[in-house]
Amino acid sequence: MNILITGSGGREHVLAWALSHSSPKPVIYALPGNPGIAELGTLLDGDAADPAVVLAAVREMRIDLVVIGPEAPLVAGVADALIEAGIRVFGPSAKAAEIEGSKVFSKDLMKRNGIPTAGFEIAATPEEALELVARVAYPHVLKADGLAAGKGALIVEDRQQATEAVAALMIEKRFGEAGRRVIFEEFMHGEEMSVFAVASGERYVLLPPSQDYKRALDGDRGLNTGGMGAYAPVVTWNDKLEERVRCDVIEPTLQAMAREGCPYTGLLYAGLMIQDGSPRVVEFNCRFGDPEAQVVLPILEGDLLELLWEASDPKAGRKALPVSVGHDGRTAVCVVLASGGYPGNVQTGYPIAGISKAREARGALVFHAGTATIEGRLVTQGGRVLSVVGLGDSLPAAHARAYKAIAAVEFNAAFYRRDIGWRGMEALEAKSR
Ligand code: AMP
Ligand code: GLY
């Protein structure tokens, strides 16, 4: 089978890695991919958000299945163009991808269908926003409606900060048109976690839950980033919580999408806040999380390719998915090695050393994100450069392996968080007391 993965980050590298373990082994192409994916398959040039470019690649390489990595091409309708051309694709239509592409869409969907989430109001003009600033309780969360590369949510402590946030989003247009409308959201307390459902209409398979560490610095301080590390499965997860997540969140969401004329095929990512055993939705995403995918995919038991193939079958109807994947029992910890200055401006082009040594460490995997090969040398080319994953029979074992491996990698001004998985480690300590 020939597979095309679009995108170029750590998520796409781990997808290529996980799919390449299928039997029989598929032939992997990536558009545009990265130097890590080049070790597993063939890289193709071009803009993965341009449907014509993706279609041309599919025809030339006789691709059987396209797996779309990032959200922007999905929101732009790349999956629609492929489906129209009769090509099998794992990824939602543009209409279904609105679940991530527009917070107004997803909040309204949740409200209409009784799916638990933070209370909210929508401001369509700066005047409406300032009226809300004067009225809401603090802390409060202000969010740009559209895509903002994970940076469009601002937590504000008082009216002053809220006024500044309104100015940044709606007047200075820090996130462009994404900030045309702003959602004012009640602040939720609790423990955050991410859940992936491989969905095909109303049918789905739930993958092990993970926890992302989004802040740049240890102790969950500093700016929000795309994610500085993650671990899976989550220590505080249990069967009762899983039942709630299935019945209160995933199932009603997939049913509502189908009922409302935008059935969901692809990866439904639910960002959840758990308080006293009850889940509430922080956000939905229309693709695998990054770096959550780097910890969830390596601990799956079963054939991921078979699952994505079945899920993307347009003629499948309403039968249960004929394949499932489970959890192999291990824990994974991913630590992101980033360029100094991330999530702000970073210097790139620095040589990277030590990846082979890191991979020799027991239970270690290294995935590429912001890397490039220039004149035969591997160099940095972005904020999040590598994802280093440790696998083990327990969280402490996986944690130790990830940190041992990451110590072997070097480049100028590299930094990483030292406390990825701390919530899980604390929960384990509390249990053993
Ligand atoms: P989002 O862009 O919606 O994913 O939000 C980014 C991050 O901001 C989330 O991962 C949370 O850590 C935090 N956040 C967003 N909404 C809320 C909320 N209503 N209450 C508390 N924290 C939130
Ligand atoms: N790590 C958060 C995300 O992928 O949206």
Side-chain angles (χ1 to χ4, degrees), residues 103 118 141 143 153 185-188 192 214 273 282-283:
K103 299 228 183 247
V141 187
K143 295 184 182 180
E185 228 181 77
E186 165 205 352
F187 182 84
M188 293 187 281
E192 232 180 311
K214 288 187 204 297
M273 191 70 84
V282 176
E283 61 164 348

Side-chain angles (χ1 to χ4, degrees), residues 142-185:
L142 270 60
K143 295 184 182 180
D145 176 34
L147 291 183
K151 293 168 190 150
L154 305 171
I155 296 169
V156 292
E157 302 291 340
D158 52 35
R159 283 187 192 187
Q160 161 103 26
Q161 287 183 5
T163 309
E164 286 164 14
V166 168
L169 292 171
M170 299 185 100
I171 295 163
E172 293 150 30
K173 296 199 187 296
R174 189 184 296 169
F175 303 107
E177 279 306 297
R180 199 170 57 80
R181 291 186 291 186
V182 170
I183 291 87
F184 278 66
E185 228 181 77

